[in-house]
Amino acid sequence: MLPLIALPIAYILGSIPSAVWVAKVYKGIDIREHGSKNAGLTNVIRVLGWKPAIPVILVDLSKGFFAVFIAKMLSDAQAYSWLPVTAGLFAIFGHSFTCMAGFRGGKGVLTALGVFLALQPLLALTCFAFWGILFVATKYVSVASLGACVMLAGLATFGFTSDILPVYKLDIYILVLSWLVSIFVIVKHKANMVRLWNGTENGFGKKRKA
């Protein structure tokens, strides 16, 4: 039963509300009551600036990465091949529904990146590069995140079903995780999609429309 301890550990790691704590320490505010009211990196940057955003980046990436890493260390690769993937999912859920901040967390994008960096680095870096291209092109973090989710699900499916690019060869567990994370993050962005449709989404370097 020892390997299963990795799951509550993953959830607790994911639940570290970095944005909430940084905003409280840096400016004495609840970040969820300002800006977009989301406890995530983008809102920290908008409300507080880049300097306090750095620890948020480091913590959110690390908690996803180490949730998977700890699960790998505690389990046998063959007998518990599903455990690191499940731990990654627990970390993402912990980030979005954190027990340390009233179950109100962020959307899970950075933590998901940390999870996939531990599970399949090439897949993670490819999706992050695509995120960067979309962000530079549109100036919308939401568009970049949604596009990266579509890329994640597409590449995972391609990697599982095709031998054309063996570097993306994945097992069934990472395929399922890729689709679950993609759907979860897209659903978490539903308010952003409404604002994008209405032309009121706030992009970096763009003025919000009334």
Side-chain angles (χ1 to χ4, degrees), residues 111-171:
T111 302
L113 177 59
V115 167
F116 281 97
L117 282 172
L119 289 171
Q120 227 290 357
L122 184 59
L123 178 63
L125 292 173
T126 302
C127 293
F128 178 68
F130 188 61
W131 181 97
I133 292 170
L134 287 177
F135 175 69
V136 170
T138 67
K139 300 298 187 295
Y140 290 116
V141 172
S142 55
V143 170
S145 298
L146 291 167
C149 286
V150 174
M151 173 68 81
L152 174 64
L155 276 179
T157 303
F158 182 80
F160 182 74
T161 59
S162 173
D163 292 324
I164 297 175
L165 289 177
V167 290
Y168 286 114
K169 194 65 179 175
L170 309 175
D171 60 32

Side-chain angles (χ1 to χ4, degrees), residues 165-187:
L165 289 177
V167 290
Y168 286 114
K169 194 65 179 175
L170 309 175
D171 60 32
I172 185 64
Y173 300 116
I174 296 181
L175 172 65
V176 171
L177 179 67
S178 299
W179 274 93
L180 287 176
V181 168
S182 297
I183 292 170
F184 178 76
V185 173
I186 288 171
V187 170

Side-chain angles (χ1 to χ4, degrees), residues 36-53:
S36 67
K37 304 188 187 307
N38 180 57
L41 172 65
T42 303
N43 201 32
V44 170
I45 294 172
R46 291 193 189 285
V47 176
L48 303 177
W50 278 100
K51 185 176 179 180

